[in-house]
Amino acid sequence: MSQFFSDNINSFNISNSFTTVDQRSEILAWLSPLEPRLRHQDIRTRRVDDVGDWLLQTDQFRNWCDVTGQDEFDKAVLFCYGNPGVGKTHMR
Amino acid sequence: MLTNHDFSSLVIDTLCDRAREQGFIVTCFYCDFTAQNEQSPASVLGGILKQVVSGLKEIPKEVMQAFEDQKRAIGGRGLRLPEIVKMLQTISSSWHTFICIDALDECAPEYRVRLLGSLRDIIQKSTGAKVFLTGRPHIRDEIEKRLGGRTLSLLISPNEDDIIKYLRARLEEDTTPEAMDDSLETDVLKGIPESVSEMYVRGRIRGSLP
């Protein structure tokens, strides 16, 4: 499966003979003008290291992100709910 | 501040690290109350589809075809929601695809209904799609109802360790370190997590936290 993946999204020079680099960018821009990864970059750079790591150790997270299981009735959705800004006034 | 966004970005980064080894696709979208009008289901899932396609070496033929077809329309036109959903179903059946959407409570309610319906359609038709969502507790029932029985819900709140790590990081950035001595620092690190967790527990009992 992995041979279909580019190692990074900038490796457009190995796109197939039917799409040029320009055409590929044009198609991506046509699919959406939004750049959701920019917001992600902004949030991740402000995140404090190791905070929230316990979430990654929970059974719920491990089971959900395991792609090796073949059970098609497994849990496809993980919904994490909480109150944003807990302790806001203390921690500004 | 420690927010749901921080948990989302942590999960997205963790998935991206594993994606390189395990060869799956990770996509994300952060809903934003101030951009509600622009964040229609087609726009959110269009943003997701764009990331899926950019993670593939070759543009899938369905996408190529739709791109060529739309050129014949006057002025060109974007994909409609059902077409986006169908493409996501098709691609995520061939490649494991993680769709992470943060702060669903910030999505306009009428948009959220259709967005959740679309996500349900995607996971029903594709065994390779995984969905990660965050939001405030008041939308939990809505999410579980719309996405059926394949949802795991997990309460996230900063624990005491998180709060201490956060405070340490902020204290290190303090621009007036001379005002802080060891005993004050100890008091801060001890006192604040206690009062935060008390506040948090009281808030949950009353059900009145925002």
Side-chain angles (χ1 to χ4, degrees):
Chain A
M1 176 197 284
S2 58
Q3 82 247 27
F4 292 105
F5 283 86
S6 52
D7 289 336
N8 68 64
I9 57 166
N10 294 320
S11 53
F12 290 164
N13 53 335
I14 40 174
S15 53
N16 67 31
S17 56
F18 301 102
T19 50
T20 62
V21 175
D22 282 352
Q23 193 183 15
R24 192 182 164 100
S25 320
E26 200 187 334
I27 292 171
L28 291 176
W30 168 71
L31 285 173
S32 171
L34 303 178
E35 297 289 348
R37 283 168 186 261
L38 296 179
R39 179 94 199 274
H40 173 63
Q41 287 304 323
D42 181 44
I43 289 171
R44 75 183 294 277
T45 48
R46 284 185 281 128
R47 197 176 75 227
V48 174
D49 281 354
D50 302 330
V51 165
D53 276 0
W54 57 266
L55 170 63
L56 310 176
Q57 308 305 325
T58 59
D59 287 343
Q60 289 94 330
F61 180 79
R62 285 155 173 258
N63 290 339
W64 169 77
C65 73
D66 178 16
V67 292
T68 58
Q70 295 299 312
D71 181 7
E72 63 176 289
F73 297 107
D74 64 356
K75 299 294 185 187
V77 183
L78 180 63
F79 173 52
C80 287
Y81 61 100
N83 293 290
V86 168
K88 200 175 255 175
T89 50
H90 288 77
M91 294 194 284
R92 277 282 184 211
Chain B
M1 259 323 305
L2 297 169
T3 65
N4 287 350
H5 305 315
D6 293 320
F7 285 98
S8 295
S9 77
L10 174 67
V11 166
I12 293 162
D13 278 350
T14 305
L15 291 173
C16 287
D17 290 344
R18 295 185 192 173
R20 277 182 219 115
E21 298 155 20
Q22 301 186 25
F24 49 71
I25 304 173
V26 182
T27 64
C28 67
F29 197 97
Y30 290 76
C31 296
D32 181 354
F33 185 76
T34 61
Q36 265 191 355
N37 291 338
E38 298 105 77
Q39 297 188 334
S40 68
S43 145
V44 173
L45 292 177
I48 296 286
L49 179 62
K50 177 188 190 177
Q51 295 168 68
V52 170
V53 172
S54 70
L56 298 171
K57 264 189 188 169
E58 296 180 9
I59 305 269
K61 63 177 188 305
E62 299 89 341
V63 176
M64 283 294 288
Q65 190 62 48
F67 177 71
E68 294 303 328
D69 290 350
Q70 62 86 30
K71 284 183 177 169
R72 288 195 279 275
I74 298 165
R77 62 180 163 217
L79 289 171
R80 297 179 62 248
L81 183 61
E83 297 167 318
I84 295 171
V85 168
K86 195 153 180 284
M87 288 182 188
L88 286 171
Q89 284 168 340
T90 308
I91 300 173
S92 65
S93 297
S94 305
W95 293 282
H96 285 294
T97 304
F98 285 82
I99 300 173
C100 306
I101 303 179
D102 174 68
L104 263 180
D105 54 285
E106 296 195 33
C107 176
E110 63 275 22
Y111 282 165
R112 191 164 62 230
V113 171
R114 289 169 57 209
L115 182 57
L116 289 171
S118 302
L119 290 172
R120 185 196 57 224
D121 292 346
I122 293 168
I123 58 172
Q124 274 178 352
K125 290 254 176 76
S126 159
T127 50
K130 297 264 188 180
V131 176
F132 175 79
L133 306 170
T134 66
R136 296 188 190 200
H138 70 268
I139 60 167
R140 180 180 171 184
D141 287 348
E142 182 186 343
I143 286 183
E144 290 178 353
K145 183 172 156 230
R146 305 242 175 237
L147 294 177
R150 295 184 63 197
T151 307
L152 265 170
S153 294
L154 182 62
L155 173 68
I156 48 168
S157 65
N159 63 20
E160 197 173 313
D161 264 4
D162 288 339
I163 294 165
I164 288 173
K165 282 175 195 157
Y166 182 84
L167 290 173
R168 277 196 202 285
R170 287 292 164 266
L171 287 173
E172 278 170 22
E173 291 167 6
D174 191 359
T175 49
T176 53
E178 64 278 8
M180 178 69 72
D181 60 30
D182 286 351
S183 83
L184 180 55
E185 183 168 326
T186 308
D187 286 350
V188 168
L189 290 175
K190 186 173 176 298
I192 290 179
E194 278 170 11
S195 68
V196 168
S197 47
E198 272 168 32
M199 204 172 69
Y200 191 72
V201 168
R202 281 206 309 272
R204 284 182 63 198
I205 291 169
R206 288 202 314 270
S208 64
L209 278 174

